[in-house]
């Protein structure tokens, strides 16, 4: 998520002038082909929408709803995310069509970066919103539900900082003649785990690549803390192992992570992880993957977590707010700490909890990762302490930004002064230019995960299996090579899947479901996702920034029933905020033309 799948941020708009009401697919398609030439209503209120040139259907519906409720809609349409972001940063919009995917499965992630003052993606500053976000983060799920309901009421009902549209399904389609159906997982939050995927004909594992696709070819950063968007989420998730994972239905698990087990200490402020000793960093030599010989250990975990929480550890840190609840991270070398600390809600010791299911119990704790030996009972244990009781920290540790990097390698690359960083001179760890084929190619990546990126072009990226990743276990990657084809639009991607050019299409649009279902060699997988689409208002230099009435007029123009009708009522779900897929608050947006008229009148009277 993904900003998804995504994290994955998905933004969409199309140039269409005012026209008739849209409630069906035929209506939407007709309007896209035959935009109305009717002159703008001079008594209507002007509103400018910003977005990218995808998602024509959504914007047609929204355009029509705003038009019939007294708005003149002007579109600021940009061809790609970079152009869109430049327009957003310049403030050239009133409303932007946005999307957010909660890829960690917890409600705090659904709001903190987006709406808290100073958040990674926040353009808001509201003390009441901040207070409610922080309050909910420390509460049990039962108590937090009421707090998130109050947050939604402040965010949407009272202030209309956003106008919710819908929750999407998460989907993927794959060639079942090529891939083993039982090996292809679709998870509610986490990205597709490449190491699980296998060919139907297992003899092809070494000779044939697994071919995937994504629409964005410019990669934000291969340093996991420097990006949280659709260009790198799935890539960095598969390149860097984490202390913890999510199951396909968003439960916390140690399965397939750097930890054999984890435990929460009494009081919910101490978190313990017993580390595996069968993962080495991979590196690239002559564009092929090889075992670096360096084990992934406690020193790398401590280094990775400390830089993840520190806003100033790298220039343009984009994920620090996800980890701001981390206080200290340390290796435990005193056995009595594990023996004398009780597990939260249990009389059992942390030591017993960490040993559960292990063939060899803990005989000693070692500080040097090279001395760890599972078969001899010599383990490394990490203790992470939070600034306050905060069980949701585990969900953040499952996020790609909490990927474990090599302390030795990153420190050898990032020798620049962060405060004096010069983008024209300094080359940070994870810079995509170092893996792009050409004169600047100098791949310095060290990957702790199942795959490592070797090189990329504008056409595709090539990954190889990490030869030092959990060898001999069920989590060892099955396929030697993965290729990621960069295909910008849905039609071309689906065509590539149907022709066999790619094996799996991650994130199939609802409008393509019927085509997939009609192809006998393809299989469609869908699940309700944590992705919410919404309208985000400008907070500077426009009337919508200062007028609650104007924002609420837009809010009550949105008719979610019409949107669901267009999508056949089973491919979209009503939303009230980005929390909606995770916490059922009972809040619901009901379109109300009378309220729109009232709020627009109040807005005009204040001019």
């Amino acid at each position: 998520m993904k900003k998804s799948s995504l994290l994955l941020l998905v933004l969409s708009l199309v140039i269409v002038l005012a026209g008739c009401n849209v409630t069906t697919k035929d209506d939407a398609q007709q309007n896209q082909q035959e935009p109305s030439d009717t002159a703008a209503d001079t008594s209507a209120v002007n509103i400018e929408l910003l977005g990218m040139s995808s998602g024509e259907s959504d914007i047609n519906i929204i355009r029509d709803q705003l038009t019939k409720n007294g708005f003149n809609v002007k579109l600021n349409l940009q061809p790609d995310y970079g152009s869109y972001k430049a327009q957003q940063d310049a403030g050239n919009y009133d409303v932007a069509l946005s999307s957010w995917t909660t890829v960690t499965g917890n409600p705090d992630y659904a709001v903190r970066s987006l709406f808290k003052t100073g958040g990674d993606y926040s353009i808001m500053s509201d003390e009441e919103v901040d207070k409610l976000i922080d309050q909910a983060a420390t509460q049990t799920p039962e108590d937090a539900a009421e707090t998130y309901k109050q947050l939604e009421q402040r965010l949407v009902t009272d202030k209309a900082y956003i106008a919710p549209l819908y929750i999407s399904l998460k989907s993927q389609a794959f060639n079942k003649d090529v891939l083993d159906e039982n090996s292809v997982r679709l998870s509610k939050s986490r990205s597709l785990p490449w190491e699980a995927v296998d060919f139907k004909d297992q003899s092809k594992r070494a000779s044939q690549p697994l071919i995937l696709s994504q629409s964005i070819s410019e990669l934000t950063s291969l340093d996991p803390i420097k990006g949280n968007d659709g260009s790198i989420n799935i890539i960095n998730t598969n390149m860097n192992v984490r202390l913890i994972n999510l199951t396909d239905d968003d439960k916390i698990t140690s399965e397939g992570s750097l930890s054999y087990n984890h435990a929460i200490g009494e009081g919910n402020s101490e978190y313990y992880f017993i580390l595996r000793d069968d993962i080495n960093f991979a590196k690239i030599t002559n564009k092929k993957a090889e075992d670096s010989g360096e084990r992934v250990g406690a020193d790398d975990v401590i280094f990775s977590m400390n830089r993840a929480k520190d806003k100033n550890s790298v220039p343009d840190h984009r994920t620090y707010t996800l980890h701001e609840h981390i206080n200290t991270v340390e290796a435990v070398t005193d056995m009595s700490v594990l023996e004398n600390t009780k597990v939260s809600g249990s009389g059992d010791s942390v030591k017993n909890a960490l040993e559960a299911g292990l063939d060899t119990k803990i005989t000693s704790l070692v500080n040097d990762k090279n001395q760890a030996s599972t078969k001899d009972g010599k383990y490394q244990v990490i203790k992470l302490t939070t600034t306050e009781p905060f069980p949701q920290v585990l969900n953040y540790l499952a996020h790609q930004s909490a990927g474990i990097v090599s302390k030795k390698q990153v420190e050898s690359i990032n020798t620049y002064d962060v405060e004096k960083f010069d983008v024209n001179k300094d080359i940070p760890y994870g810079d995509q230019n170092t893996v792009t084929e050409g004169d600047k190619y100098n791949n310095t990546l060290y990957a702790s995960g199942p795959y490592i990126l070797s090189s990329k072009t504008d056409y595709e990226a090539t990954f190889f299996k990490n030869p030092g990743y959990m060898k001999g276990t069920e989590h060892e990657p099955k396929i030697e090579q993965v290729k990621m084809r960069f295909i910008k639009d849905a039609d071309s991607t689906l065509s590539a899947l149907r022709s066999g050019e790619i094996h799996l299409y991650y994130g199939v649009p609802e409008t393509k479901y019927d085509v997939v279902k009609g192809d006998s060699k393809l299989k469609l997988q869908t699940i309700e996702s944590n992705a919410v689409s919404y309208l985000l208002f400008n907070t500077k230099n426009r009337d919508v920034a200062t007028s609650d009435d104007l924002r609420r007029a837009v809010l009550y123009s949105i008719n979610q029933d019409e949107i669901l009708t267009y999508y056949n009522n089973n491919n979209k779900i009503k939303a009230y905020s980005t929390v909606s897929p995770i916490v059922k608050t009972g809040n619901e947006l009901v379109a109300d033309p009378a309220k729109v008229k009232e709020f627009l009148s109040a807005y005009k009277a204040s001019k």
Side-chain angles (χ1 to χ4, degrees):
M1 229 158 257
K2 221 158 207 194
K3 254 169 179 175
S4 172
S5 264
L6 74 201
L7 245 265
L8 265 153
L9 173 67
V10 180
L11 302 154
S12 50
L13 290 170
V14 64
I15 296 179
V16 186
L17 300 178
C20 62
N21 183 35
V22 178
T23 56
T24 70
K25 289 184 179 180
D26 291 341
D27 292 337
Q29 291 166 355
Q30 180 178 357
N31 282 345
Q32 290 162 17
Q33 296 167 2
E34 301 176 4
S36 171
D37 292 328
T38 303
D41 180 0
T42 56
S43 68
V45 174
N46 294 324
I47 197 92
E48 182 176 4
L49 298 178
L50 169 66
M52 297 193 299
S53 57
S54 56
E56 300 177 39
S57 301
D58 283 354
I59 195 56
N60 277 333
I61 298 171
I62 295 165
R63 183 272 331 263
D64 289 338
Q65 291 177 353
L66 291 174
T67 299
K68 75 178 182 181
N69 278 283
F71 290 93
N72 282 330
V73 181
K74 174 186 176 184
L75 298 182
N76 181 352
L77 185 69
Q78 298 300 319
D80 52 45
Y81 180 69
S83 302
Y84 164 89
K85 191 65 171 63
Q87 288 294 299
Q88 185 182 47
D89 291 345
N92 296 330
Y93 71 104
D94 291 305
V95 185
L97 189 58
S98 306
S99 175
W100 178 259
T101 302
T102 300
V103 295
T104 56
N106 65 309
D108 189 72
Y109 182 91
V111 292
R112 183 168 296 274
S113 285
L114 287 177
F115 307 125
K116 194 169 188 294
T117 302
D120 302 304
Y121 293 93
S122 177
I123 58 173
M124 287 174 41
S125 180
D126 185 303
E127 291 183 0
E128 180 66 16
V129 168
D130 294 348
K131 185 187 79 172
L132 290 168
I133 289 173
D134 286 337
Q135 178 181 331
T138 64
Q139 294 175 317
T140 64
E142 294 75 20
D143 292 337
E146 177 57 32
T147 306
Y148 283 118
K149 182 174 183 176
Q150 295 174 26
L151 173 61
E152 284 189 332
Q153 289 169 342
R154 175 70 176 180
L155 187 69
V156 182
T157 313
D158 298 340
K159 303 299 291 185
Y161 291 127
I162 65 170
L165 300 177
Y166 55 77
I167 301 167
S168 295
L169 296 182
K170 186 175 182 179
S171 65
Q172 63 189 17
F174 62 90
N175 190 323
K176 61 185 180 182
D177 291 344
V178 176
L179 300 182
D180 177 1
E181 292 187 46
N182 296 321
S183 74
V184 183
R185 294 165 50 185
L186 181 62
S187 306
K188 194 170 191 287
S189 291
R190 71 171 294 183
S191 296
L192 173 71
W194 295 350
E195 71 270 21
V197 181
D198 201 359
F199 288 126
K200 196 170 185 179
D201 180 355
Q202 295 182 1
S203 67
K204 295 182 178 180
R205 288 175 173 175
S207 60
Q208 299 292 322
L210 168 65
I211 309 175
L212 310 173
S213 68
Q214 80 173 27
S215 60
I216 306 173
S217 61
E218 291 296 311
L219 309 181
T220 303
S221 177
L222 299 164
D223 183 340
I225 65 174
K226 291 192 64 176
N228 189 17
D229 59 78
S231 74
I232 47 76
N233 283 341
I234 194 167
I235 291 174
N236 283 345
T237 296
N238 284 284
M239 284 225 302
N240 302 287
V241 73
R242 294 159 302 285
L243 279 172
I244 213 78
N245 273 326
L246 293 176
T247 63
D248 291 346
D249 58 352
D250 284 352
K251 302 295 189 298
I252 299 294
T253 181
S254 292
E255 189 77 10
S257 74
L258 180 58
S259 307
Y260 287 119
N261 285 315
H262 67 279
I264 305 175
E266 200 168 37
N268 295 334
S269 289
E270 297 177 353
Y271 302 80
Y272 297 85
F273 308 85
I274 184 167
L275 304 187
R276 307 179 67 101
D277 67 346
D278 59 353
I279 302 178
N280 281 9
F281 289 103
K283 67 177 183 179
I284 294 295
T285 303
N286 296 324
K287 295 189 177 179
K288 296 293 183 181
E290 66 176 37
D291 189 336
S292 70
E294 181 188 347
R295 181 180 290 177
V296 182
D299 59 334
D300 304 299
V301 173
I302 294 168
F303 173 74
S304 299
M305 295 301 96
N306 282 332
R307 72 194 296 264
K309 71 170 184 172
D310 180 7
K311 178 181 180 180
N312 300 313
S313 62
V314 291
D316 198 22
H317 195 325
R318 303 205 182 172
T319 59
Y320 63 90
T321 61
L322 303 183
H323 306 291
E324 64 185 5
H325 285 89
I326 296 176
N327 186 21
T328 60
V329 189
E330 59 189 311
V332 179
T333 55
D334 183 352
M335 189 81 74
S336 66
V337 172
L338 306 184
E339 294 170 337
N340 298 330
T341 303
K342 301 300 182 184
V343 174
S344 179
S346 166
D348 203 7
S349 71
V350 166
K351 180 176 183 292
N352 287 342
L354 294 180
E355 290 177 328
L358 296 181
D359 292 335
T360 308
K361 304 302 182 183
I362 303 172
T363 60
S364 63
L365 299 173
V366 298
N367 193 48
D368 183 348
K369 63 185 178 184
N370 295 309
Q371 293 179 2
S373 174
T374 296
K375 65 181 178 62
D376 297 319
K378 299 178 180 179
Y379 294 96
Q380 289 198 298
V381 170
I382 289 290
K383 175 185 175 182
L384 183 151
T385 305
T386 54
T387 55
E388 57 190 330
F390 188 59
Q392 290 190 54
V393 73
L394 291 173
N395 294 80
Y396 288 129
L397 295 180
H399 187 254
Q400 58 88 12
S401 62
I404 309 303
V405 296
S406 166
K407 178 179 186 293
K408 177 182 176 182
Q409 182 68 1
V410 173
E411 287 185 333
S412 73
I413 301 299
N414 288 357
T415 57
Y416 52 80
D417 184 331
V418 174
E419 292 184 0
K420 300 179 181 178
F421 179 78
D422 185 345
V423 69
N424 297 311
K425 181 183 67 174
D426 298 318
I427 302 175
Y429 177 83
D431 187 329
Q432 77 145 5
N433 291 319
T434 62
V435 298
T436 302
E437 291 185 349
D439 295 339
K440 294 183 178 181
Y441 180 86
N442 180 29
N443 193 327
T444 57
L445 295 173
Y446 265 46
S448 61
Y451 286 89
I452 183 169
L453 174 59
S454 170
S455 61
K456 74 172 286 288
T457 64
D458 291 338
Y459 173 65
E460 70 180 10
T462 301
F463 301 80
F464 290 102
K465 168 182 173 179
N466 178 352
Y469 189 83
M470 300 194 198
K471 294 185 68 172
T473 74
E474 63 179 309
H475 303 293
E476 178 182 357
K478 302 188 174 48
I479 298 175
E480 292 286 334
Q481 185 179 0
V482 174
K483 286 187 177 292
M484 175 78 76
R485 295 275 165 81
F486 300 123
I487 308 175
K488 288 189 175 182
D489 63 273
D491 287 332
S492 298
T493 306
L494 183 56
S495 176
L497 178 66
R498 300 186 71 188
S499 68
E501 181 185 343
I502 63 174
H503 300 144
L504 186 147
Y505 181 1
Y506 189 76
V508 182
E510 290 90 342
T511 54
K512 307 299 179 185
Y513 286 1
D514 289 343
V515 177
V516 173
K517 291 175 182 177
D519 193 320
S520 61
K521 67 178 176 295
L522 303 183
K523 180 172 182 177
L524 177 69
Q525 296 175 317
T526 62
I527 188 174
E528 181 179 335
S529 78
N530 291 334
V532 177
S533 292
Y534 59 96
L535 299 178
L536 177 66
F537 292 94
N538 194 339
T539 57
K540 293 181 180 178
N541 305 321
R542 293 288 179 104
D543 284 355
V544 291
T546 56
S547 175
D548 294 358
D549 289 321
L550 182 54
R551 295 196 303 272
R552 285 184 288 194
V554 174
L555 172 69
Y556 286 105
S557 297
I558 301 303
N559 188 322
Q560 293 185 355
D561 289 323
E562 291 182 352
I563 299 174
L564 268 59
T565 298
Y566 174 78
Y567 286 106
N568 297 324
N569 290 312
N570 58 359
N571 292 334
K572 300 292 186 187
I573 301 103
K574 288 186 177 182
Y576 201 77
S577 78
T578 47
V579 168
S580 295
I582 305 161
V583 181
K584 305 307 179 185
T585 64
N587 289 326
E588 182 176 348
L589 176 62
V590 178
D592 192 331
K595 285 186 178 180
V596 175
K597 185 176 181 180
E598 174 189 343
F599 290 132
L600 280 181
S601 296
Y603 162 69
K604 291 176 180 178
S606 68
K607 293 289 286 181

